[in-house]
Amino acid sequence: MKKLSLKARLVLLHTGVMILVVCVVLALLFSISSHEILSNVESALEERTADAFHDIDYEDGRLKFDSDLMDLEDGVYLSVYDKDSQELLYGRIPYGFVYDLPFKEGDVRTIAAGEKEYYVLDMEILMQNDQTVVVRGIVSISDAEQDFRFTLHIALILFPLLIFLTAVCGYLMSRRALYPVSKITKTVQRIQKEKDLSKRIQLGEGSDEIYTLAQTFDDLLEAVDTGMKREKQFTSDVAHELRTPTSVVLMQCEELLQGNHLDEEGRREVEVIHRKISSMSDMISQLLLLSRADQGREKLDLERLNFSELGEMAVEEFSGIAGEKDIAVEAKIQPGIYGKADQTLMIRLWSNLLQNAIRYGKPGGHIWVSVEKEENQIRMSVKDDGIGIAPKDLPHIWDRFYQVDPSRNSESSGLGLSMAKWIVEAHHGQISAISEPGKGTTFTCIFPAD
């Protein structure tokens, strides 16, 4: 039951309750109707039998009978007997009914005849010649019950249709009632998919709990959107403010290192500062780029690029850096692969992925780089046999400033993979990572081919 949607549960509940109510009502109705039918049959018998006295006269020394006694009104058979001789004087009786049934004045009796049951009522009348006649009324209970059973069969036939209509009405009512909830869910899912906090539910005016919930969501989204915009603006402002002083410090370090007035210890100190400031400058540069991307101000300069050549250039550039850590770089690049991309961003993508592989590689290890075309897709991959990433950390590596183990590498800013993910998605591509601790990591980027 818990696996069913709320709409399905409401429909089942509504249908079940309605079926129960209809069953109880029909049971009571048929029970009362059965009693009422028999009561009406008995009343019709008494009334018709009593009215028969008006159709019997005594004239010219003999009994005369009106032909109305032969009419079958309300299913009542009328017959007239001489009480003393029990002779049938006039009228009609049902086929198969006994003629010699003893008289019983004023009581309605139930008599079985063949496969049917009848109500029988006898009423006596004293004529002018002192002759006592008995008017007997007979009505079939079985025929009345047969009509009732026919009605019951019709009701049972219509019952599934009633259940179906009840389920349909329940579905429509549930759908209408849960429409605001569905709209809230779709809006939140769209926000998650598109990363667009400017969207709102906007159910309109209403005073019930769901409309209140939707308005609360809208207020919350407004607050979150405002906070995110302030954070992005703050990040952009801070990065801009830090860019100038870091550039000045970096230039001063470079000038000091180019001169000859530093002793060996001083040169080492300045080199440490230069290395740290270079790392900070790179981080600020990436932070500015991401900030502009968040604000929609970073435009891509798309052009037709040779992905194969970009891959070869990246391998050539970083082979020397990897060699300093005794890491071998091997390339498997298919020639002549073209696609539309921003060259500056693609170079940065290669740089971030290869720096990451070198940073977390092992001395004596390997890095495998490949670029190949599969149908209408370009597949780029960087694989290493380094320390790998734990399964619990793998989903978070794309988060900004996230570091699996900051103590192992203080030079990492935690922005490289975030930048790589944005670059790939900005080119309508996909990036993924698979890793096993102690065995290495593979990053794969897929782009649409030219």
Side-chain angles (χ1 to χ4, degrees):
M1 190 70 174
K2 291 182 179 179
K3 295 181 179 179
L4 295 176
S5 65
L6 181 58
K7 186 187 298 182
R9 280 185 277 176
L10 285 176
V11 171
L12 290 176
L13 178 62
H14 176 264
T15 305
V17 171
M18 289 301 297
I19 290 174
L20 180 62
V21 170
V22 170
C23 288
V24 172
V25 170
L26 287 178
L28 291 174
L29 182 62
F30 284 126
S31 176
I32 295 172
S33 297
S34 177
H35 181 270
E36 283 295 318
I37 288 173
L38 295 178
S39 178
N40 290 337
V41 169
E42 187 174 344
S43 298
L45 175 64
E46 292 174 350
E47 182 178 351
R48 186 81 176 89
T49 304
D51 289 342
F53 292 147
H54 302 295
D55 298 327
I56 304 173
D57 279 329
Y58 183 80
E59 294 181 3
D60 301 329
R62 63 191 183 91
L63 295 173
K64 289 186 177 181
F65 304 98
D66 196 304
S67 61
D68 289 345
L69 290 172
M70 300 298 290
D71 295 338
L72 191 63
E73 294 183 13
D74 297 327
V76 178
Y77 294 84
L78 294 175
S79 53
V80 182
Y81 294 84
D82 180 86
K83 181 180 180 181
D84 296 329
S85 65
Q86 295 189 352
E87 177 187 357
L88 177 63
L89 302 176
Y90 192 81
R92 57 190 294 193
I93 60 176
Y95 177 78
F97 192 82
V98 292
Y99 283 84
D100 56 351
L101 181 68
F103 302 126
K104 190 173 183 180
E105 165 67 17
D107 290 335
V108 177
R109 295 174 286 170
T110 302
I111 303 299
E115 296 180 355
K116 292 187 176 182
E117 288 188 342
Y118 298 90
Y119 276 158
V120 179
L121 175 62
D122 295 332
M123 289 187 176
E124 297 180 3
I125 180 173
L126 181 62
M127 305 305 295
Q128 296 175 0
N129 61 346
D130 295 330
Q131 179 184 5
T132 302
V133 296
V134 177
V135 178
R136 171 169 286 174
I138 305 172
V139 64
S140 173
I141 304 174
S142 300
D143 290 343
E145 290 179 339
Q146 185 175 1
D147 293 339
F148 174 74
R149 284 193 294 270
F150 176 76
T151 305
L152 179 61
H153 289 158
I154 294 296
L156 292 176
I157 291 172
L158 294 177
F159 189 63
L161 178 61
L162 179 63
I163 294 175
F164 174 74
L165 292 176
T166 301
V168 170
C169 292
Y171 172 78
L172 294 176
M173 291 171 59
S174 301
R175 182 180 178 183
R176 177 64 181 171
L178 295 176
Y179 169 74
V181 177
S182 176
K183 188 172 181 181
I184 292 172
T185 303
K186 289 179 179 178
T187 302
V188 173
Q189 289 174 343
R190 198 158 55 244
I191 291 172
Q192 288 179 328
K193 182 179 179 181
E194 300 175 9
K195 304 293 188 294
D196 185 3
L197 290 173
S198 65
K199 296 186 181 298
R200 299 292 180 268
I201 298 169
Q202 294 179 338
L203 279 185
E205 303 225 350
S207 57
D208 61 22
E209 292 82 357
I210 294 181
Y211 279 86
T212 303
L213 175 63
Q215 186 58 48
T216 304
F217 263 117
D218 283 342
D219 294 341
L220 177 62
L221 288 171
E222 183 68 31
V224 173
D225 188 26
T226 302
M228 291 294 291
K229 287 178 179 177
R230 289 176 179 172
E231 181 183 346
K232 292 173 183 177
Q233 188 61 46
F234 174 77
T235 302
S236 178
D237 293 343
V238 169
H240 273 290
E241 292 298 325
L242 291 176
R243 192 173 190 178
T244 301
T246 52
S247 298
V248 172
V249 174
L250 191 61
M251 285 190 298
Q252 293 297 323
C253 288
E254 290 174 353
E255 288 185 8
L256 288 172
L257 291 173
Q258 289 174 0
N260 297 320
H261 51 277
L262 290 176
D263 58 18
E264 186 177 346
E265 184 178 355
R267 182 172 292 276
R268 283 198 302 270
E269 297 287 344
V270 173
E271 285 176 350
V272 171
I273 296 173
H274 183 269
R275 189 166 56 252
K276 295 296 182 181
I277 290 297
S278 296
S279 177
M280 183 180 292
S281 178
D282 184 61
M283 181 184 69
I284 292 172
S285 177
Q286 295 193 71
L287 200 56
L288 276 172
L289 181 58
L290 289 173
S291 177
R292 288 195 298 268
D294 289 338
Q295 296 173 359
R297 296 188 291 111
E298 183 64 29
K299 304 300 181 183
L300 273 64
D301 184 14
L302 296 178
E303 56 182 315
R304 191 167 185 266
L305 297 179
N306 189 324
F307 276 66
S308 303
E309 289 185 359
L310 284 177
E312 291 171 354
M313 290 168 56
V315 170
E316 184 179 352
E317 179 182 353
F318 283 91
S319 292
I321 301 174
E324 295 176 2
K325 289 189 63 175
D326 194 21
I327 297 176
V329 180
E330 299 180 11
K332 181 183 178 182
I333 298 177
Q334 181 181 338
I337 299 177
Y338 287 87
K340 282 191 175 181
D342 185 306
Q343 182 172 347
T344 303
L345 293 180
M346 293 305 298
I347 293 173
R348 183 180 287 272
L349 173 63
W350 277 113
S351 174
N352 288 357
L353 292 179
L354 288 170
Q355 281 181 356
N356 189 78
I358 295 170
R359 184 177 295 122
Y360 296 104
K362 296 177 180 178
H366 298 79
I367 295 176
W368 295 271
V369 176
S370 69
V371 180
E372 54 189 356
K373 185 176 180 181
E374 297 179 354
E375 296 181 356
N376 60 339
Q377 293 180 335
I378 300 173
R379 178 183 293 270
M380 297 166 34
S381 69
V382 176
K383 179 181 178 182
D384 64 70
D385 54 3
I387 62 175
I389 304 170
K392 66 180 181 66
D393 295 314
L394 196 60
H396 305 288
I397 61 175
W398 314 110
D399 298 342
R400 296 180 189 179
F401 300 108
Y402 184 84
Q403 296 184 37
V404 175
D405 187 359
S407 63
R408 299 191 63 170
N409 199 314
S410 59
E411 295 182 1
S412 173
S413 64
L415 291 174
L417 293 179
S418 300
M419 175 67 68
K421 186 173 188 293
W422 176 81
I423 292 173
V424 173
E425 292 179 349
H427 286 82
H428 307 289
Q430 298 175 349
I431 185 170
S432 61
I434 56 174
S435 183
E436 188 174 349
K439 293 188 178 181
T441 306
T442 302
F443 289 93
T444 304
C445 305
I446 297 176
F447 298 94
D450 189 4

